Amino acid sequence: MTDTMATLPDLVPPPVELPERVAALRSEVRAFLAEERAAGAWRPRADTWLSGWDERFTKELARRGWLGMTIPTEYGGHGRGALDRYVVTEELLAAGAPVAAHWVADRQIGPSLMRFGTEEQRQRFLPGIAAGEVYFGIGMSEPDSGSDLASVRSKADRVDGGWELTGTKVWTSGAHHAHAFFALVRTSPKDDTNRHAGLSQLIVDLKAPGVTIRPIPLLTGAHHFNEVVFDKVFIPDSMVLGEIGQGWHQVTSELAFERSGPERYLSTFPLLVALLGEVSAQELDAGRRRDLGGLVSRYWTLRRMSLAIAGALEAGKAPELAAAVVKDLGTRFENEVIDAARLLVSIPPDPAGEQGGFARLLADAVLHAPGFTLRGGTNEILRGIVARGLGLR
Amino acid sequence: MSSEMSSELREMAESVFGDAWDSSTDAFDAKLWESVEQTGLARLTLPEEAGGSGGTMSDAAAVLIAAGQFAARVPLVETDLLAAWLLHAAGIEVPSGPLSATVAGNLTIQPAAGGAGADVSGTLRRVPWGRAVSAVAVLAGEQVLLVETAGAGVEEGTNLAEEPRDDLVLNELTVRHVAAVPSVAVVEFPLRAALGRALLLAGAARGAVAMAVKYATERVQFGRPIAKLQAIQQTLALAGAEVAAAAAATEAAAREVDKHGFAEASFAIAAAKARAGEAAGQVARITHQVHGAIGFTREHDLRLVTTRLWAWRDEDGSEAYWNDRVGARVLEVGAEGLWPLLTGTP
């Protein structure tokens, strides 16, 4: 080899095959979704894991054993693998089903409690999560802390038997419905030589005295985001997640779950399905047929990448780098689908259009799109992680 | 083959092809060919009873990605995936040495005057490595001809990477081995060619980004390696994601072939070749931008992989060709069939 030769680390784990056992599971989920749709229980939406809060639907999923799937049975879960959960979630997202109520709890709170929670915390929350009755939010961002998460200023002071929490969290999806969230807070003063030290995660009861929740309407006018203000909220020692001072490490591990799922490329999939309902083979000339094919080739590729990550999760790994790669590709692609779809047919977006119809899905998708490449870590931050993985920094 | 064995195979292939890296020539690498013969990589997927190694397409994926990464100057796809397969399927004994393969629709084929075989006239266009191989497996309709190049006129041509793409002129050439193949072979040939090419593309993309990352950590401007500049980090991260996408798509398509055969994997192969072709353009653009002027010259080795990216994305079907096939399939299955198509589960 010459001195210009170089090798590159693998950014995404090797491909995985879904085990035979999940084929039956997939059929069951599809049959259930078909039944729901036939009954008119809901209409497909774009970005349903943010906008589709439907506690009835969540409880129906729980009744079938499709929430808390990876949680051990002793905590009310089902002790199944990450790939089983993957199949259920991708089917729900592809159908545009209303999954927002349980999304955060099922995706990252359950795994975090299993990894860092006390026995008491697991007993208290996991059975409710698996039953579709306990909902969680995410308490990371603050007015002055977005991408620079380590700069959070919400602070907890030591008091008798626990901590007294003061500060503000923002962009908390579903906080007005949820029971609790994990707040990333400062438990000791900022150390400029180690910015990641002194942070901790507290489990905050969102109905507790001193917690004020105010809506922050989205571009659509819809109420999903909230500001959550803590005014001397008492957090008992029993609601400290993991170890005091280990918050940064814990949050990073939580992000591997938050960033790695199929919701990072499927948010606008129902739009493409609706588009196909509007076109027939005769209406699409060769150029547009090619554009449509291009979208589907990329969907197919992203799904294989996303599956590879689920395979790594199933093997007990925390594929943070791969999650960053796929989330960057996937969320940019969610936007590209919108651009392509609006040019494939001449149907303008209509925010008052029929729910589930192309015009309404397009309107919602366009107005939700800015969030795709922000939430859970901006794409610029993700690329910084990838650059580190490549050995550039 | 287990994933452990696949990873050993990949290591071996990377070592064999890496050692052969040489920018001083574009000619067929006879020494490398000896190595791939000795290591069993030359006829990797041909069944053992036919003189091959009996490997899977996933094994071939590991080897071809490495071959693309190190710009190997040997006809691996042509010999193993195409010629050896086609000849074996037609019941013709596979000759030794490097081979090529092509589809020809314009040949005049007449029974040989002497009895066995046929007399063949016409031109085989842009045969990969035509000048370097002793024989070419030609698929003409549902017939397979084993054309020995010694009797053909060679009009040399190349692709953008200066790999031989030669016209072979046959003038009443007597071909001793002629046989019919099952019609499924006619469907399978372009799928094999596309998947082989897509895997090479995935490898060349990987090689280009590896070189750009190394260059960025060594090249100093503004008093520090350009790798420290966020603009460079961001753009190389995009290129890295393209490499990952090309690898994921092509390796997954290879797995589909192992599970279901080529014809059943046609959707996966179409998507994989299209996606790898798309990645090729992005990666070539970004890696040249990072290398600056030196990468734009013959003095630097980057061209070995980027010219292959540009050549191979158009060979065996461009993104336009394969995305059109995918689009047609999507319109055929409609709104209800899209998700089942993507998941491969009706």
Side-chain angles (χ1 to χ4, degrees):
Chain A
M1 296 192 206
T2 73
D3 62 355
T4 51
M5 300 299 307
T7 54
L8 198 71
D10 286 326
L11 294 177
V12 171
V16 295
E17 293 303 326
L18 285 169
E20 285 298 322
R21 67 170 194 268
V22 301
L25 177 61
R26 188 189 296 283
S27 310
E28 286 165 35
V29 178
R30 283 190 186 167
F32 165 67
L33 289 169
E35 217 174 90
E36 286 265 312
R37 263 188 310 237
W42 40 267
R43 294 296 190 86
R45 287 177 185 236
D47 200 11
T48 178
W49 57 281
L50 173 62
S51 63
W53 194 285
D54 182 339
E55 297 180 11
R56 179 204 66 85
F57 184 75
T58 285
K59 291 188 178 103
E60 284 296 324
L61 294 179
R63 218 157 61 77
R64 289 165 173 77
W66 298 337
L67 293 189
M69 292 183 78
T70 62
I71 294 172
T73 50
E74 63 202 278
Y75 301 110
H78 304 281
R80 302 182 76 155
L83 290 171
D84 298 63
R85 179 176 179 274
Y86 187 91
V87 164
V88 172
T89 54
E90 72 168 352
E91 288 294 329
L92 296 175
L93 292 164
V99 294
H102 63 267
W103 199 256
V104 169
D106 185 68
R107 176 180 70 189
Q108 67 202 82
I109 302 300
S112 277
L113 285 170
M114 283 311 301
R115 181 135 184 224
F116 302 113
T118 62
E119 185 58 25
E120 183 195 337
Q121 289 164 358
R122 292 176 185 178
Q123 296 286 1
R124 174 159 169 192
F125 295 112
L126 292 175
I129 289 174
E133 288 164 357
V134 172
Y135 314 126
F136 270 80
I138 298 173
M140 294 194 198
S141 295
E142 296 187 359
D144 294 324
S145 301
S147 290
D148 183 10
L149 190 57
S151 72
V152 292
R153 290 204 300 231
S154 287
K155 113 181 141 66
D157 294 318
R158 195 78 182 109
V159 293
D160 193 22
W163 298 82
E164 190 178 80
L165 176 59
T166 301
T168 304
K169 292 290 175 184
V170 286
W171 329 134
T172 308
S173 306
H176 52 312
H177 300 302
H179 299 90
F181 71 4
F182 292 174
L184 180 70
V185 305
R186 205 149 257 303
T187 43
S188 53
K190 199 166 156 194
D191 171 0
D192 283 333
T193 62
N194 183 2
R195 309 177 66 237
H196 298 155
L199 295 169
S200 306
Q201 279 186 298
L202 304 178
I203 307 175
V204 180
D205 175 356
L206 290 171
K207 319 285 183 206
V211 175
T212 308
I213 296 171
R214 282 193 283 262
I216 307 174
L218 293 180
L219 292 179
T220 55
H223 176 197
H224 303 300
F225 270 6
N226 298 276
E227 176 190 55
V228 180
V229 179
F230 318 116
D231 180 16
K232 297 186 177 169
V233 177
F234 177 70
I235 312 292
D237 281 329
S238 62
M239 288 298 117
V240 171
L241 182 72
E243 282 178 51
I244 289 294
Q246 290 299 305
W248 185 261
H249 161 69
Q250 291 172 205
V251 154
T252 309
S253 140
E254 189 179 326
L255 284 171
F257 288 94
E258 181 174 342
R259 289 175 172 162
S260 61
E263 71 272 30
R264 302 304 183 173
Y265 80 97
L266 284 173
S267 300
T268 52
F269 184 76
L271 179 66
L272 188 64
V273 174
L275 177 127
L276 285 175
E278 300 289 342
V279 301
S280 65
Q282 290 76 30
E283 282 172 52
L284 282 196
D285 56 34
R288 289 178 186 199
R289 193 169 63 211
R290 210 156 60 207
D291 291 347
L292 173 65
L295 291 180
V296 174
S297 292
R298 280 183 278 164
Y299 264 123
W300 183 83
T301 303
L302 279 162
R303 178 169 180 273
R304 303 309 295 231
M305 299 177 90
S306 183
L307 258 177
I309 292 177
L313 287 175
E314 172 135 321
K317 296 179 185 139
E320 291 151 32
L321 176 59
V325 171
V326 179
K327 183 170 176 293
D328 179 30
L329 270 181
T331 54
R332 280 187 283 129
F333 178 62
E334 289 178 330
N335 278 270
E336 289 163 26
V337 169
I338 299 170
D339 281 337
R342 54 175 272 277
L343 298 177
L344 281 168
V345 291
S346 300
I347 302 172
D350 182 359
E354 188 199 351
Q355 189 74 259
F358 180 81
R360 174 64 181 272
L361 280 161
L362 181 58
D364 284 345
V366 168
L367 294 177
H368 275 245
F372 301 162
T373 49
L374 297 173
R375 55 188 175 190
T378 69
N379 289 48
E380 288 72 17
I381 290 290
L382 299 173
R383 279 176 228 144
I385 294 169
V386 178
R388 187 178 293 121
L390 289 172
L392 292 165
R393 48 185 290 235
Chain B
M1 190 174 270
S2 72
S3 62
E4 217 167 272
M5 285 175 78
S6 257
S7 115
E8 275 175 33
L9 188 62
R10 174 176 164 178
E11 268 175 44
M12 176 176 83
E14 285 178 355
S15 146
V16 168
F17 298 126
D19 287 344
W21 179 271
D22 178 3
S23 53
S24 68
T25 170
D26 293 299
F28 171 72
D29 189 339
K31 190 160 160 270
L32 174 59
W33 186 261
E34 255 177 59
S35 305
V36 297
E37 288 274 14
Q38 278 162 12
T39 48
L41 301 181
R43 285 165 181 71
L44 185 65
T45 64
L46 187 67
E48 286 179 27
E49 69 268 20
S53 307
T56 62
M57 264 314 291
S58 296
D59 298 335
V63 171
L64 291 173
I65 288 178
Q69 181 179 350
F70 296 107
R73 288 173 287 110
V74 285
L76 279 179
V77 170
E78 292 81 3
T79 301
D80 182 39
L81 291 194
L82 298 175
W85 156 75
L86 187 59
L87 295 168
H88 184 59
I92 299 172
E93 194 182 332
V94 181
S96 61
L99 304 170
S100 192
T102 192
V103 176
N106 56 349
L107 298 179
T108 309
I109 304 170
Q110 286 175 334
D119 288 335
V120 181
S121 295
T123 302
L124 305 173
R125 303 263 176 219
R126 294 188 75 75
V127 176
W129 301 95
R131 77 193 72 160
V133 299
S134 56
V136 181
V138 179
L139 181 61
E142 292 189 8
Q143 277 191 313
V144 175
L145 316 172
L146 178 58
V147 173
E148 285 167 20
T149 51
V154 178
E155 291 174 7
E156 294 192 352
T158 70
N159 65 12
L160 285 176
E162 299 173 30
E163 291 184 305
R165 296 292 185 261
D166 303 325
D167 286 354
L168 300 183
V169 182
L170 317 181
N171 190 6
E172 292 186 10
L173 180 73
T174 301
V175 171
R176 282 178 298 134
H177 298 287
V178 181
V181 281
S183 57
V184 66
V186 180
V187 176
E188 198 168 323
F189 189 104
L191 294 171
R192 284 175 164 268
L195 180 55
R197 197 64 62 198
L199 287 160
L200 287 171
L201 271 173
R206 162 180 271 278
V209 174
M211 290 173 80
V213 166
K214 186 160 188 288
Y215 182 81
T217 56
E218 291 167 354
R219 171 71 172 171
V220 174
Q221 291 287 276
F222 308 107
R224 53 188 173 155
I226 60 170
K228 297 295 162 205
L229 304 173
Q230 283 196 337
I232 298 290
Q233 293 173 1
Q234 293 278 310
T235 192
L236 281 175
L238 291 173
E242 291 299 305
V243 171
T250 54
E251 286 172 1
R255 294 224 172 186
E256 288 293 305
V257 170
D258 286 334
K259 265 168 63 183
H260 306 295
F262 272 93
E264 285 289 304
S266 64
F267 172 77
I269 292 169
K273 178 64 164 77
R275 187 62 186 87
E278 194 180 293
Q282 299 281 340
V283 164
R285 181 179 58 76
I286 292 170
T287 55
H288 270 290
Q289 190 70 14
V290 168
H291 275 84
I294 190 70
F296 177 52
T297 70
R298 269 186 106 83
E299 289 179 19
H300 198 277
D301 285 1
L302 179 64
R303 72 178 176 91
L304 296 185
V305 277
T306 53
T307 56
R308 280 171 170 77
L309 289 171
W310 290 319
W312 292 343
R313 67 180 174 175
D314 285 330
E315 291 184 338
D316 304 304
S318 68
E319 300 97 280
Y321 175 82
W322 288 111
N323 278 334
D324 184 55
R325 299 277 296 254
V326 171
R329 187 77 202 281
V330 169
L331 288 172
E332 199 180 293
V333 300
E336 289 295 311
L338 175 60
W339 182 246
L341 179 67
L342 278 171
T343 53
T345 322

